[in-house]
Amino acid sequence: MRGRRVFVTGHTGFKGTWLMTWLSELGATLKGYALAPAGPVTIYEQINGDRRWESVFGDIRDADRLAQEIQRFAPDVVFHLAAQPLVRLSYAQPLETWEVNVMGTANLLNAVRGLSKPCSVVVVTTDKIYENRGTPYLYRETDRLGGHDPYSASKAGTELVAASFRDSFFPLDRLQAHGVTIATVRAGNVFGGGDWADDRLIPDAIRAFSNDQALTIRYPNAIRPWQHVLEPLSGYIALAEALPVDPVTFSAPWNLGPWPQDHLTVYDIASRVATGWGGGRIVIDEHSEHVHEAGVLKLDISKTVDRLGWRPRWSVSEGIERAVRWYSSVAHGADAMTQCLNDIRDYSNG
Ligand SMILES: NC(=O)c1ccc[n+]([C@@H]2O[C@H](COP(=O)([O-])OP(=O)(O)OC[C@H]3O[C@@H](n4cnc5c(N)ncnc54)[C@H](O)[C@@H]3O)[C@@H](O)[C@H]2O)c1
């Protein structure tokens, strides 16, 4: 990444802030495009993101502005993370979720069409794009797309948009002419210091435990592929580096998940966070009506391990220990950026 021009959408979010921090450490020239950070606390503001790289606050649905910013920057690499990423919010705001996740991706890839230079694009989707069988099956990249809720289905739509642009405008047999390669990445549930989103297990747990309140969980037995945020980000970066070297192999979808033993239940994760925090009460809400969420979700990562050479480095236990340390240190006055850099350096050296 050193010396490369890298454009990141969604750079003000949780994963985006970690990615910008890591890319900056690697020596990339960065520009971010996203909505302004929103919420009472954001990791982006905690690390003073605006002072560290070029940042544009814009809507991914504003196709003209997005195209202008991409043209002006002329990136070598694009990471597309901007999205409405919450399942429960997608029930409350289905149209906005579809617009941002599907048309936002179409706007981005259409803007890349206007570049007259090679560009590697990594489009971030999710493990939830697979048609869920409700069994402990591990989904492979070749499995059928689906999605019950608007978030999952719109991200399956993101996959179709990416595949359609690849086939229609950036076919590999004309690579010399257009120079554009696209990979899509399907990662599991991530956590790490500085995620403050509502309705996510670990931020909810930290908010509850730090205020001496009980954490309420809705689906204690739901199984997910849990990972520290640096795990999928290392895969995104590895793919961006691999795309120009071997476009035929890497212009494709890729699962980025944990080893099978780290497909754990919500209750298991909540208990580990409570233990790491030094205590915390967990209450199971069995009575309220909840929107549908998949009961079991597991990813098969063998293709990514075999062909990309990527593999998970931190177990869920180690990742949770790191995340809890991040929240606890920052709550006690430590500098958020220093905590991120410590995690990135330890991860890179480990
Ligand atoms: N966090 C997870 O567990 C997880 C798991 C799998 C996939 N993902 C995917 O990773 C990506 C990043 O997720 P996150 O957890 O960092 O979410 P986040 O909510 O912290 O960040 C979302 C980012 O998208 C931007 N955004 C939202 N709407 C926009 C719009 N209309 N125009 C421009 N920018 C807009 C926000 O400003 C923010 O920068 C998303 O694509 C999400 O679907 C997340």
Side-chain angles (χ1 to χ4, degrees):
M1 290 289 112
R2 179 160 298 281
R4 319 265 334 258
R5 300 180 66 75
V6 182
F7 189 92
V8 178
T9 73
H11 72 295
T12 56
F14 166 57
K15 281 166 108 172
T17 302
W18 276 94
L19 181 60
M20 295 291 273
T21 305
W22 197 347
L23 292 169
S24 167
E25 270 292 281
L26 293 173
T29 301
L30 295 171
K31 176 170 179 171
Y33 185 99
L35 299 180
V41 192
T42 65
I43 184 174
Y44 187 79
E45 290 164 309
Q46 286 183 300
I47 65 145
N48 291 311
D50 270 352
R51 293 219 305 263
R52 300 183 185 277
W53 40 66
E54 190 180 346
S55 171
V56 175
F57 295 150
D59 198 308
I60 200 82
R61 291 168 292 181
D62 184 344
D64 292 342
R65 175 143 191 234
L66 179 65
Q68 273 168 20
E69 297 295 349
I70 288 185
Q71 281 289 334
R72 205 173 291 154
F73 186 68
D76 305 304
V77 177
V78 174
F79 292 100
H80 176 45
L81 283 78
Q84 190 305 89
L86 300 171
V87 171
R88 277 158 64 87
L89 187 61
S90 79
Y91 280 99
Q93 300 177 354
L95 294 186
E96 188 173 344
T97 302
W98 280 97
E99 281 167 15
V100 173
N101 296 356
V102 176
M103 284 312 296
T105 305
N107 290 340
L108 175 93
L109 294 175
N110 205 42
V112 169
R113 283 180 70 204
L115 289 174
S116 43
K117 61 179 290 195
C119 184
S120 309
V121 185
V122 177
V123 174
V124 173
T125 67
T126 168
D127 53 356
K128 297 184 173 62
I129 46 104
Y130 294 110
E131 182 177 71
N132 195 283
R133 305 178 181 195
T135 66
Y137 175 79
L138 283 89
Y139 294 96
R140 298 192 194 105
E141 288 86 346
T142 46
D143 282 323
R144 199 182 156 105
L145 299 179
H148 181 115
D149 57 86
Y151 169 66
S152 306
S154 66
K155 280 289 187 168
T158 303
E159 288 279 348
L160 292 176
V161 170
S164 160
F165 268 80
R166 192 164 43 215
D167 293 345
S168 305
F169 305 112
F170 311 124
L172 286 171
D173 57 7
R174 284 200 277 121
L175 186 61
Q176 287 299 328
H178 57 74
V180 176
T181 47
I182 305 176
T184 61
V185 280
R186 305 163 174 183
N189 282 39
V190 297
F191 55 81
D195 189 0
W196 297 106
D198 287 330
D199 268 336
R200 275 196 192 148
L201 180 60
I202 288 165
D204 284 349
I206 300 294
R207 273 187 291 266
F209 300 155
S210 57
N211 289 308
D212 278 333
Q213 289 169 354
L215 166 70
T216 304
I217 55 177
R218 298 180 297 269
Y219 293 103
N221 300 320
I223 296 176
R224 296 282 181 271
W226 301 93
Q227 302 170 285
H228 190 277
V229 63
L230 294 178
E231 298 287 347
L233 297 189
S234 67
Y236 301 173
I237 294 170
L239 272 166
E241 286 171 344
L243 274 167
V245 179
D246 182 353
V248 174
T249 301
F250 293 108
S251 301
W254 301 90
N255 283 349
L256 294 161
W259 297 118
Q261 65 270 24
D262 281 337
H263 290 100
L264 296 171
T265 67
V266 165
Y267 188 81
D268 215 335
I269 296 292
S271 312
R272 288 169 192 234
V273 177
T275 307
W277 192 258
R281 218 155 46 83
I282 302 166
V283 172
I284 299 168
D285 178 2
E286 289 164 322
H287 303 298
S288 313
E289 255 192 39
H290 304 306
V291 295
H292 173 277
E293 289 188 41
V296 192
L297 190 38
K298 296 185 174 193
L299 283 179
D300 182 328
I301 56 170
S302 43
K303 176 182 132 174
T304 315
V305 170
D306 291 347
R307 298 206 202 151
L308 183 61
W310 173 90
R311 59 196 60 240
R313 282 192 202 166
W314 285 350
S315 65
V316 161
S317 301
E318 181 163 9
I320 289 180
E321 199 183 305
R322 297 276 177 173
V324 169
R325 195 184 310 156
W326 192 105
Y327 286 109
S328 167
S329 309
V330 171
H332 288 94
D335 175 53
M337 186 64 171
T338 306
Q339 299 307 306
C340 292
L341 290 175
N342 286 345
D343 281 348
I344 289 169
R345 284 171 194 156
D346 287 351
Y347 185 90
S348 305
N349 294 333

